[in-house]
Structures are given as structure tokens and as C-alpha cells.
Amino acid sequence: MSSIVLFGPPGAGKGTQAARIMEATGLPQVSTGDMLRAAVKANTATGIEAKGYMDAGNLVPDEVIINLIKDRILEDDAVNGVMFDGFPRTIPQAEALSLITTVTHVIAIEVPDEKIVDRICGRYSCSGCGMVYHDTFNPVDSSGCECGNWQEKRRADDNAETVQSRLDTYHQQTSPLADWYMEKGIFHPIDGDRAIDEITGDILIALE
Ligand code: ADP
Ligand code: ADP
Ligand code: ZN
């Protein structure tokens, strides 16, 4: 089993690209953020523990995240590998991951901080299918989402205050992983400050 990691700051476009790469590679998207939000909504023990960290824009403890991933990887759709979105975010998480699966590519979507706030504050998604949209950069069709089950959803943590602490957290705790993966020769930086389609094209070339 071998896997891909989508890496980058909050709002870089990881989820947006994951949906497209999933179509091209068949690898299922595994988003720890989505898994945690589902746990919060379902009021599980994990969700109750995670909520305070998420609301504050801090990382949920490594142990909680690693346990989520260990369970997820056992599901049937993961036999040929998965595409991680928003995981790993610390070196201990990456070390734990290396014992679970071989990471073949780390796709790093790079976007300058000053663009991130606008991206995150305009983000919404379709709760019918999970497709990510943006108020100005990628709005949903006037007839609704193509899944036919359009319902707008916004995240509680997508506000200007939390964005800044999520960015600080990224720079302090997650960005050191870039060097860690670069040393392993599997790190592929991609300019994420361009049109969505251009970025997808470059990612697919990097994965070839
Ligand atoms: P992440 O998963 O990295 O947090 P998302 O994929 O949710 O990021 O994207 C964050 C926001 O930015 C969304 O509203 C999305 O529609 C928008 N977005 C994604 N890629 C681009 C891009 N290349 N240019 C402009 N906006 C984008
Ligand atoms: P973003 O769109 O900002 O990249 P995510 O949806 O990936 O955000 O994550 C939302 C929140 O969930 C994070 O701010 C953090 O609190 C928590 N989280 C998600 N993935 C991880 C992880 N791998 N390690 C620790 N915390 C995580
Ligand atoms: Zn939809």
C-alpha cells in the first residue's frame, strides 16, 4: 500500500485539488479535518476532546489523530493507498504514518499568507456532496451544486480571528515537515496561487 500526502497551509486548496485528483487516481481522500468535524457533530469521545482545539485554531493532540488514521486505513477502500489531506501536520504524525504506509509523493500547495485570509473567509461547501466553493473565486452555479442535493455549509472556524492562529500553528508546527520530506526526496512544491485547473495539471504531472 502506498499513499500520497497533500500538504500546505489552511486554505491552500488541498480539499479542492483532492476532489480532482481522486477522479484521476482513484485514491480516496482522507481528510483528518473532515473526520474530526464528523466526530464533533456525532459527539463521540474523540469529537468532544477535539472541539476546543479546533475552535481555537490549535492542533488536536497527535495521539488522537494517529488513532483516527490507524482505524481509517483498515477500511476496504484504503487497500491500494489513500490521499491524505491535512495529515500529517507534525513530525511525530509523519513518523507514525511511515510505519503504516509508504508515502510516495508529498504535494505541497504553496500560497502566500496574505492570500489565505480571503480564501478562508469566503469558503463554503455543499453539504450534499462536500464540494468546496468560494464566494468570489469559485462560486456555486446559480442552479445549485451539480450533485443535485445543494445545501450551503460554512465552517465555524472559517473566520478572520481563527485563521490567524491556524496560520501561526501551520508555520510553527507543520511547515518543518517540508524539510523532513524534502530530505526523503519525495517533496513536490506546486505554486498554488494560480487558477484551480492549472494547479491540478501540475499536480497530475508530479504524480506521473
Ligand atoms: P484547504 O483544503 O487547503 O483548506 P480548500 O480547498 O478548502 O483549502 O480551499 C480554500 C478556499 O479557497 C475555498 O473556498 C476554495 O474554493 C478556494 N480556492 C481553492 N483553490 C483556489 C485557487 N487556486 N484560487 C482561488 N481560490 C481557490
Ligand atoms: P484547514 O482547512 O484549515 O486546512 P482542516 O479541515 O484540515 O483545516 O482542519 C481543521 C482543524 O482540525 C485544524 O485547525 C486542527 O484543529 C484540526 N486538525 C485537522 N487535521 C489535523 C492534524 N493532522 N493534526 C492535528 N490537528 C488537526
Ligand atoms: Zn453538492
Side-chain angles (χ1 to χ4, degrees):
M1 179 192 162
S2 61
S3 298
I4 294 170
V5 168
L6 292 182
F7 184 80
K14 300 181 295 295
T16 301
Q17 297 299 334
R20 292 154 167 251
I21 304 165
M22 194 158 52
E23 266 175 40
T25 63
L27 294 177
Q29 172 190 10
V30 172
S31 158
T32 42
D34 287 348
M35 292 167 77
L36 290 168
R37 279 184 289 279
V40 169
K41 201 171 168 200
N43 237 320
T44 65
T46 299
I48 291 164
E49 182 174 1
K51 188 174 187 307
Y53 296 100
M54 296 170 77
D55 288 344
N58 294 325
L59 292 184
V60 173
D62 287 336
E63 184 196 300
V64 173
I65 301 290
I66 292 164
N67 284 331
L68 273 180
I69 292 293
K70 278 186 178 157
D71 287 346
R72 178 64 184 86
I73 218 88
L74 297 174
E75 286 176 35
D76 290 345
D77 66 344
V79 285
N80 295 320
V82 303
M83 176 171 39
F84 292 105
D85 163 5
F87 171 85
R89 266 161 134 114
T90 63
I91 288 174
Q93 288 181 20
E95 280 168 345
L97 179 61
S98 69
L99 303 177
I100 299 173
T101 184
T102 305
V103 176
T104 58
H105 298 79
V106 176
I107 302 291
I109 307 179
E110 301 184 331
V111 177
D113 281 11
E114 60 270 21
K115 300 273 175 100
I116 294 290
V117 179
D118 281 349
R119 282 208 187 177
I120 287 190
C121 294
R123 168 161 63 186
Y124 59 97
S125 64
C126 170
S127 63
C129 69
M131 185 69 82
V132 186
Y133 295 103
H134 190 281
D135 287 324
T136 43
F137 307 141
N138 186 27
V140 71
D141 249 38
S142 54
S143 55
C145 185
E146 65 182 28
C147 74
N149 203 4
W150 167 238
Q151 214 187 338
E152 180 181 315
K153 190 169 87 181
R154 295 200 186 241
R155 277 169 50 178
D157 60 344
D158 279 352
N159 57 70
E161 303 87 77
T162 313
V163 173
Q164 197 48 59
S165 64
R166 280 152 69 195
L167 268 175
D168 292 344
T169 302
Y170 173 78
H171 289 299
Q172 283 162 20
Q173 298 182 61
T174 303
S175 65
L177 264 180
D179 283 342
W180 198 84
Y181 276 125
M182 221 167 315
E183 279 166 21
K184 300 193 183 320
I186 54 172
F187 191 79
H188 300 264
I190 305 276
D191 177 4
D193 188 10
R194 292 177 298 159
I196 293 173
D197 286 340
E198 283 177 58
I199 299 165
T200 309
D202 277 6
I203 294 176
L204 293 176
I205 290 169
L207 292 177
E208 262 168 17

